[in-house]
Amino acid sequence: MIVVEVEEMKMKETNQYIKGLVKRYVYGAASVNEIAELGDWLKADHGNKALFEKLKSDIEKQAEMDVNDEWERFANKFELNNKASFKSRRLLGFASVAASIAIVMVVTMQIFSAANNKYSSMLSTNEPEGDNTVLNLADGQQFTLNEQHATVEADKDGEQFIVEKNQIVKTKGETAAQSQLNQIQVPYGKTAKLILADGTKVWLNAGSQLVFPNHFNNKDHRDVMLLGEGFFEVTHSESQPFRVLTDKLTYTVLGTSFNIRSYDHSPIHSAVLVDGSLKVDENALFNKESVILKPGEKCSFANNEGQIIIQQVNTSIYTSWKNGFLTLEKNNLRTLIYQIEHYYNCDITISNELLEMHIQLSGKLMLDTDAERVCKALCDLSGMGYRIENNQVSFYKQE
């Protein structure tokens, strides 16, 4: 009896949580991860789709009622339901605008989220299984790429992709004509290069995902969505701005080279511009920030501050990973260890003795397939020692 009651409580909590996700989705407040989680829930059970549609419909009706209720309260407060005097007629005009704004807010929030939602729903809350890059096509085909630095190239009409060893993959049915969305997932310890239908080149760093259409024909914008880190060399098109959608920011360009870092677990999202110009917009309805970067500039956005900060940087430090190495310029040990820890998805500890030494490193550190080789190279460079046990790396001061 107690077990049944506990299960019922868990089910109620789950249903309430899903309802909250759907509500945030409808109002355009859902994050990339929340939309991806909602997508996973929809795929988990066929009946969840019907429940989703019902919840979505109920929430939209409630939103409309809320607007009407707000209008009624406003009208009653200013006695607008009685015969309108000259003064109240003036207020009526103002109140009508207020009501219109409230309605527009609801509609705008839905439109604002719609562009992101179709891309976000393709993202997975789960990391790629195994140690290989995975290409998921809109027609249901899935391909596993074994290379350390995999390459995928789409043709201009979206009819086929060229993957490793020059293997040609053709899309099925009407997928090419309809410009459906595809996804590529890169595991930790590997990178990938993707050439989009317009010729734009994208390098994806370890632990990253990109959602992209098989072509950009008949589109006002060229949109892709990034979760993780990517370097972009965008093919110029005056009539089709290129947009990179992320959880917190949207990046818009005509043709340029830049790096974006937007991992879901990171409190800071950033972009570095190599050449051209880059417009950065916060994904918000009100008081949103918007900046335009110049070459050599880096913008950072902290989740808890809601402010975009710009600074001059050496761009090679932030982009060299796409060439298989890290550029070190008086890097402190803690920062470098964080980069290695993230790339290989392993836990690293540093002894207090090493931290007190304030070690700074300059040069190049190759990103090898084997994390242990990287650790050994780092120790050769700095004079440290290390040990590895159960995916846990410990650095210590050598006697």
Side-chain angles (χ1 to χ4, degrees), residues 133-272:
T133 298
V134 177
L135 175 66
N136 296 305
L137 298 185
D139 59 15
Q141 295 185 82
Q142 184 181 82
F143 298 91
T144 300
L145 310 178
N146 302 312
E147 297 173 333
Q148 176 67 18
H149 308 289
T151 300
V152 176
E153 182 175 357
D155 75 342
K156 64 183 181 65
D157 296 317
E159 296 177 351
Q160 64 184 31
F161 292 87
I162 301 175
V163 295
E164 59 185 3
K165 297 178 181 177
N166 293 322
Q167 178 186 356
I168 296 177
V169 176
K170 294 191 175 183
T171 54
K172 298 177 181 178
E174 298 180 358
T175 300
Q178 295 176 354
S179 184
Q180 299 294 319
L181 296 178
N182 311 284
Q183 176 202 45
I184 184 169
Q185 294 176 288
V186 184
Y188 289 101
K190 292 192 174 183
T191 61
K193 179 182 177 182
L194 176 65
I195 303 176
L196 301 175
D198 66 337
T200 292
K201 297 175 183 176
V202 185
W203 286 262
L204 294 172
N205 206 349
S208 300
Q209 300 181 49
L210 188 79
V211 176
F212 61 97
N214 46 323
H215 66 71
F216 299 103
N217 300 340
N218 305 316
K219 300 284 185 181
D220 293 331
H221 294 89
R222 295 171 289 164
D223 289 350
V224 298
M225 175 164 272
L226 172 71
L227 181 61
E229 183 169 14
F231 181 86
F232 296 77
E233 284 186 359
V234 178
T235 300
H236 184 83
S237 175
E238 198 76 40
S239 60
Q240 279 187 310
F242 189 95
R243 297 192 303 191
V244 182
L245 313 175
T246 68
D247 189 11
K248 299 296 181 183
L249 304 168
T250 296
Y251 304 86
T252 307
V253 298
L254 297 177
T256 185
S257 300
F258 56 96
N259 192 85
I260 293 175
R261 186 178 178 88
S262 183
Y263 286 99
D264 60 336
H265 52 73
S266 176
I268 297 177
H269 306 262
S270 63
V272 173

Side-chain angles (χ1 to χ4, degrees), residues 306-325:
Q307 181 181 6
I308 299 176
I309 298 173
I310 299 177
Q311 62 184 121
Q312 288 284 336
V313 296
N314 176 357
T315 60
S316 64
I317 293 175
Y318 301 90
T319 62
S320 63
W321 62 264
K322 73 183 183 70
N323 297 317
F325 61 88

Side-chain angles (χ1 to χ4, degrees), residues 69-94:
D69 289 344
E70 285 296 324
W71 161 248
E72 284 298 324
R73 282 194 288 272
F74 190 94
N76 289 333
K77 181 177 180 180
F78 292 100
E79 299 179 347
L80 297 178
N81 289 330
N82 301 326
K83 286 188 176 180
S85 62
F86 174 73
K87 182 178 180 181
S88 64
R89 280 198 298 273
R90 289 178 63 190
L91 282 171
L92 178 61
F94 170 75

Side-chain angles (χ1 to χ4, degrees), residues 369-381:
T369 54
D370 186 352
E372 188 166 1
R373 290 184 183 177
V374 175
C375 292
K376 186 177 185 304
L378 182 57
C379 288
D380 292 341
L381 194 64

